[in-house]
Amino acid sequence: MISPNSVELDGKAIACNNTADQLLVELYRQYVNDYPKFFKMDTLSRLGFIASELLLQAEGNERFVPTEDRAVILANRSASIKNDTDYLKTIAEDNYYPSPALFVYTLPNIVTGEIAIRNNYWGETAFYVLDKEQDLDPIVQATLENSALNSAIAGWCECQDKDNFYAKLQIIWNN
């Protein structure tokens, strides 16, 4: 679980010196530090990326081996609102300069793609906009039951702005 003021992995707190957006950078530098594209990502993608990295490191399995049997399924309530708002500012009538760098992140599913690309997952990826966290559970279960997938990285990844975010991801296995 990652929030602007705290990080927990398997119920244990991870000590951090920073908060908000700088917390994500600190976690990147401390636990990942080998994916420079991180610094081009929007806050939602950074959040999901870091949460998945911590989760996968805790899992301890071999990484970066192509696999078709793991899905990435995330959800939130606000889609990509932070980046949508930032992009809107670049197309205002009095300051019209559309930003391609911002535009690419106006889709919330970019974070699932970033996770899949990083880990060489070829399975299903999806991002849902739902009212509450619990609404994702039946979607993940149905996806796993009706496919050849063995597991999914799934969870809630909400980002209102660079200082207000929350991620809670887990690996769910197909029984």
Short mmCIF file of all heavy atoms in Angstrom, two decimals, residues 11-43:
data_model
loop_
_atom_site.label_atom_id
_atom_site.label_comp_id
_atom_site.label_asym_id
_atom_site.label_seq_id
_atom_site.Cartn_x
_atom_site.Cartn_y
_atom_site.Cartn_z
N GLY A 11 2.03 -5.70 5.01
CA GLY A 11 1.66 -5.25 6.34
C GLY A 11 2.78 -4.62 7.15
O GLY A 11 2.58 -4.22 8.30
N LYS A 12 3.99 -4.52 6.57
CA LYS A 12 5.13 -3.94 7.28
C LYS A 12 5.46 -2.58 6.67
O LYS A 12 5.56 -2.44 5.46
CB LYS A 12 6.34 -4.86 7.17
CG LYS A 12 6.10 -6.20 7.85
CD LYS A 12 7.29 -7.11 7.67
CE LYS A 12 6.94 -8.48 8.25
NZ LYS A 12 7.56 -9.55 7.53
N ALA A 13 5.66 -1.60 7.54
CA ALA A 13 5.98 -0.25 7.08
C ALA A 13 7.37 -0.20 6.48
O ALA A 13 8.30 -0.86 6.95
CB ALA A 13 5.89 0.73 8.26
N ILE A 14 7.49 0.57 5.42
CA ILE A 14 8.79 0.84 4.80
C ILE A 14 9.15 2.28 5.16
O ILE A 14 8.38 3.20 4.90
CB ILE A 14 8.72 0.67 3.26
CG1 ILE A 14 8.46 -0.78 2.91
CG2 ILE A 14 10.00 1.17 2.61
CD1 ILE A 14 8.31 -1.04 1.42
N ALA A 15 10.32 2.45 5.78
CA ALA A 15 10.74 3.78 6.20
C ALA A 15 11.08 4.63 4.98
O ALA A 15 11.79 4.20 4.08
CB ALA A 15 11.95 3.67 7.12
N CYS A 16 10.56 5.85 4.97
CA CYS A 16 10.81 6.80 3.88
C CYS A 16 11.05 8.18 4.47
O CYS A 16 10.49 8.53 5.51
CB CYS A 16 9.63 6.84 2.92
SG CYS A 16 9.33 5.28 2.09
N ASN A 17 11.87 8.96 3.78
CA ASN A 17 12.19 10.31 4.24
C ASN A 17 11.33 11.38 3.60
O ASN A 17 11.29 12.50 4.07
CB ASN A 17 13.67 10.63 3.95
CG ASN A 17 14.59 9.72 4.72
OD1 ASN A 17 14.35 9.43 5.88
ND2 ASN A 17 15.62 9.24 4.06
N ASN A 18 10.68 11.05 2.49
CA ASN A 18 9.91 12.03 1.74
C ASN A 18 8.42 11.73 1.79
O ASN A 18 8.01 10.66 2.23
CB ASN A 18 10.37 12.04 0.27
CG ASN A 18 11.76 12.61 0.13
OD1 ASN A 18 11.98 13.78 0.37
ND2 ASN A 18 12.73 11.76 -0.23
N THR A 19 7.64 12.69 1.31
CA THR A 19 6.20 12.51 1.21
C THR A 19 5.76 12.93 -0.19
O THR A 19 6.52 13.51 -0.95
CB THR A 19 5.44 13.35 2.26
OG1 THR A 19 5.75 14.73 2.04
CG2 THR A 19 5.82 12.94 3.68
N ALA A 20 4.52 12.62 -0.49
CA ALA A 20 3.87 13.03 -1.74
C ALA A 20 4.69 12.57 -2.95
O ALA A 20 5.21 11.48 -2.97
CB ALA A 20 3.59 14.52 -1.74
N ASP A 21 4.77 13.43 -3.96
CA ASP A 21 5.42 13.06 -5.22
C ASP A 21 6.88 12.66 -5.01
O ASP A 21 7.38 11.75 -5.67
CB ASP A 21 5.33 14.23 -6.20
CG ASP A 21 5.69 13.82 -7.62
OD1 ASP A 21 5.22 12.75 -8.06
OD2 ASP A 21 6.44 14.56 -8.28
N GLN A 22 7.57 13.30 -4.09
CA GLN A 22 8.97 12.95 -3.84
C GLN A 22 9.11 11.57 -3.20
O GLN A 22 10.17 10.95 -3.30
CB GLN A 22 9.64 14.03 -2.98
CG GLN A 22 9.91 15.30 -3.76
CD GLN A 22 10.71 15.03 -5.04
OE1 GLN A 22 11.80 14.48 -5.02
NE2 GLN A 22 10.13 15.42 -6.17
N LEU A 23 8.07 11.09 -2.55
CA LEU A 23 8.07 9.74 -2.00
C LEU A 23 8.23 8.72 -3.12
O LEU A 23 9.00 7.77 -3.01
CB LEU A 23 6.77 9.47 -1.23
CG LEU A 23 6.55 8.04 -0.77
CD1 LEU A 23 7.57 7.63 0.28
CD2 LEU A 23 5.14 7.88 -0.24
N LEU A 24 7.52 8.92 -4.23
CA LEU A 24 7.61 7.99 -5.36
C LEU A 24 9.02 7.99 -5.96
O LEU A 24 9.55 6.93 -6.31
CB LEU A 24 6.57 8.33 -6.41
CG LEU A 24 5.11 8.25 -5.95
CD1 LEU A 24 4.18 8.70 -7.07
CD2 LEU A 24 4.76 6.85 -5.48
N VAL A 25 9.63 9.15 -6.05
CA VAL A 25 11.00 9.24 -6.56
C VAL A 25 11.96 8.54 -5.60
O VAL A 25 12.86 7.80 -6.04
CB VAL A 25 11.41 10.72 -6.79
CG1 VAL A 25 12.88 10.83 -7.17
CG2 VAL A 25 10.53 11.35 -7.87
N GLU A 26 11.78 8.75 -4.31
CA GLU A 26 12.64 8.08 -3.32
C GLU A 26 12.51 6.57 -3.43
O GLU A 26 13.52 5.85 -3.43
CB GLU A 26 12.26 8.53 -1.90
CG GLU A 26 13.06 7.81 -0.82
CD GLU A 26 12.62 8.16 0.60
OE1 GLU A 26 11.86 9.13 0.78
OE2 GLU A 26 13.06 7.46 1.53
N LEU A 27 11.29 6.08 -3.54
CA LEU A 27 11.09 4.63 -3.66
C LEU A 27 11.72 4.10 -4.95
O LEU A 27 12.33 3.03 -4.96
CB LEU A 27 9.60 4.30 -3.63
CG LEU A 27 8.91 4.51 -2.29
CD1 LEU A 27 7.40 4.40 -2.44
CD2 LEU A 27 9.43 3.52 -1.26
N TYR A 28 11.58 4.85 -6.04
CA TYR A 28 12.20 4.45 -7.30
C TYR A 28 13.72 4.32 -7.12
O TYR A 28 14.33 3.32 -7.50
CB TYR A 28 11.88 5.45 -8.42
CG TYR A 28 12.71 5.19 -9.65
CD1 TYR A 28 12.35 4.19 -10.55
CD2 TYR A 28 13.87 5.92 -9.90
CE1 TYR A 28 13.14 3.93 -11.67
CE2 TYR A 28 14.65 5.67 -11.01
CZ TYR A 28 14.28 4.66 -11.89
OH TYR A 28 15.06 4.40 -12.98
N ARG A 29 14.33 5.34 -6.57
CA ARG A 29 15.80 5.34 -6.43
C ARG A 29 16.28 4.27 -5.46
O ARG A 29 17.35 3.69 -5.66
CB ARG A 29 16.26 6.72 -5.99
CG ARG A 29 16.12 7.73 -7.11
CD ARG A 29 16.88 9.00 -6.85
NE ARG A 29 16.94 9.78 -8.08
CZ ARG A 29 16.54 11.03 -8.17
NH1 ARG A 29 16.09 11.67 -7.11
NH2 ARG A 29 16.63 11.67 -9.32
N GLN A 30 15.50 3.98 -4.45
CA GLN A 30 15.91 3.00 -3.46
C GLN A 30 15.67 1.56 -3.91
O GLN A 30 16.48 0.68 -3.64
CB GLN A 30 15.19 3.26 -2.14
CG GLN A 30 15.66 2.37 -1.01
CD GLN A 30 15.03 2.77 0.32
OE1 GLN A 30 14.32 3.76 0.43
NE2 GLN A 30 15.30 1.98 1.34
N TYR A 31 14.57 1.29 -4.63
CA TYR A 31 14.19 -0.08 -4.92
C TYR A 31 14.25 -0.47 -6.39
O TYR A 31 14.20 -1.66 -6.71
CB TYR A 31 12.77 -0.35 -4.39
CG TYR A 31 12.71 -0.34 -2.90
CD1 TYR A 31 12.29 0.81 -2.23
CD2 TYR A 31 13.11 -1.42 -2.15
CE1 TYR A 31 12.25 0.86 -0.84
CE2 TYR A 31 13.08 -1.39 -0.77
CZ TYR A 31 12.65 -0.25 -0.12
OH TYR A 31 12.62 -0.21 1.24
N VAL A 32 14.33 0.47 -7.30
CA VAL A 32 14.30 0.13 -8.72
C VAL A 32 15.55 0.67 -9.40
O VAL A 32 16.46 -0.08 -9.73
CB VAL A 32 13.03 0.70 -9.41
CG1 VAL A 32 12.97 0.26 -10.86
CG2 VAL A 32 11.77 0.27 -8.66
N ASN A 33 15.56 1.95 -9.69
CA ASN A 33 16.70 2.70 -10.21
C ASN A 33 17.31 2.19 -11.52
O ASN A 33 18.46 2.44 -11.80
CB ASN A 33 17.79 2.80 -9.14
CG ASN A 33 18.53 4.12 -9.25
OD1 ASN A 33 17.99 5.10 -9.74
ND2 ASN A 33 19.77 4.14 -8.82
N ASP A 34 16.54 1.43 -12.32
CA ASP A 34 17.09 0.95 -13.59
C ASP A 34 16.09 1.09 -14.74
O ASP A 34 16.15 0.36 -15.72
CB ASP A 34 17.55 -0.50 -13.46
CG ASP A 34 16.41 -1.47 -13.24
OD1 ASP A 34 15.27 -1.04 -13.00
OD2 ASP A 34 16.66 -2.69 -13.32
N TYR A 35 15.17 2.03 -14.62
CA TYR A 35 14.15 2.24 -15.65
C TYR A 35 13.98 3.74 -15.84
O TYR A 35 13.04 4.33 -15.31
CB TYR A 35 12.84 1.57 -15.19
CG TYR A 35 11.84 1.31 -16.29
CD1 TYR A 35 12.07 0.36 -17.27
CD2 TYR A 35 10.64 2.00 -16.32
CE1 TYR A 35 11.14 0.10 -18.26
CE2 TYR A 35 9.69 1.74 -17.31
CZ TYR A 35 9.95 0.79 -18.26
OH TYR A 35 9.02 0.52 -19.25
N PRO A 36 14.90 4.37 -16.58
CA PRO A 36 14.89 5.84 -16.70
C PRO A 36 13.57 6.42 -17.20
O PRO A 36 13.27 7.58 -16.93
CB PRO A 36 16.02 6.13 -17.69
CG PRO A 36 16.87 4.92 -17.68
CD PRO A 36 16.00 3.77 -17.29
N LYS A 37 12.77 5.64 -17.91
CA LYS A 37 11.48 6.13 -18.40
C LYS A 37 10.57 6.57 -17.24
O LYS A 37 9.63 7.32 -17.43
CB LYS A 37 10.81 5.04 -19.23
CG LYS A 37 9.59 5.51 -19.96
CD LYS A 37 9.02 4.42 -20.83
CE LYS A 37 7.76 4.92 -21.51
NZ LYS A 37 7.07 3.88 -22.23
N PHE A 38 10.87 6.09 -16.04
CA PHE A 38 10.10 6.48 -14.85
C PHE A 38 9.95 7.99 -14.75
O PHE A 38 8.88 8.49 -14.41
CB PHE A 38 10.80 5.94 -13.59
CG PHE A 38 10.19 6.41 -12.30
CD1 PHE A 38 9.08 5.76 -11.77
CD2 PHE A 38 10.71 7.50 -11.62
CE1 PHE A 38 8.52 6.20 -10.58
CE2 PHE A 38 10.15 7.94 -10.43
CZ PHE A 38 9.05 7.28 -9.91
N PHE A 39 10.99 8.73 -15.08
CA PHE A 39 10.97 10.18 -14.91
C PHE A 39 10.13 10.89 -15.97
O PHE A 39 9.84 12.07 -15.83
CB PHE A 39 12.40 10.72 -14.85
CG PHE A 39 13.11 10.27 -13.62
CD1 PHE A 39 14.01 9.22 -13.67
CD2 PHE A 39 12.84 10.85 -12.39
CE1 PHE A 39 14.65 8.78 -12.52
CE2 PHE A 39 13.46 10.42 -11.24
CZ PHE A 39 14.37 9.38 -11.30
N LYS A 40 9.71 10.20 -17.01
CA LYS A 40 8.82 10.77 -18.01
C LYS A 40 7.36 10.46 -17.70
O LYS A 40 6.46 11.04 -18.29
CB LYS A 40 9.17 10.23 -19.40
CG LYS A 40 10.51 10.69 -19.88
CD LYS A 40 10.80 10.17 -21.27
CE LYS A 40 12.16 10.64 -21.72
NZ LYS A 40 12.45 10.24 -23.08
N MET A 41 7.12 9.52 -16.80
CA MET A 41 5.76 9.08 -16.48
C MET A 41 4.98 10.13 -15.70
O MET A 41 5.56 10.92 -14.96
CB MET A 41 5.79 7.80 -15.63
CG MET A 41 6.31 6.59 -16.31
SD MET A 41 6.30 5.21 -15.11
CE MET A 41 7.24 3.99 -16.00
N ASP A 42 3.66 10.07 -15.83
CA ASP A 42 2.80 10.90 -14.99
C ASP A 42 2.72 10.27 -13.60
O ASP A 42 3.22 9.16 -13.38
CB ASP A 42 1.41 11.04 -15.62
CG ASP A 42 0.61 9.76 -15.58
OD1 ASP A 42 1.19 8.68 -15.83
OD2 ASP A 42 -0.59 9.82 -15.29
N THR A 43 2.10 10.95 -12.67
CA THR A 43 2.05 10.47 -11.28
C THR A 43 1.29 9.15 -11.16
O THR A 43 1.70 8.26 -10.41
CB THR A 43 1.45 11.54 -10.35
OG1 THR A 43 2.16 12.77 -10.52
CG2 THR A 43 1.53 11.12 -8.89
#
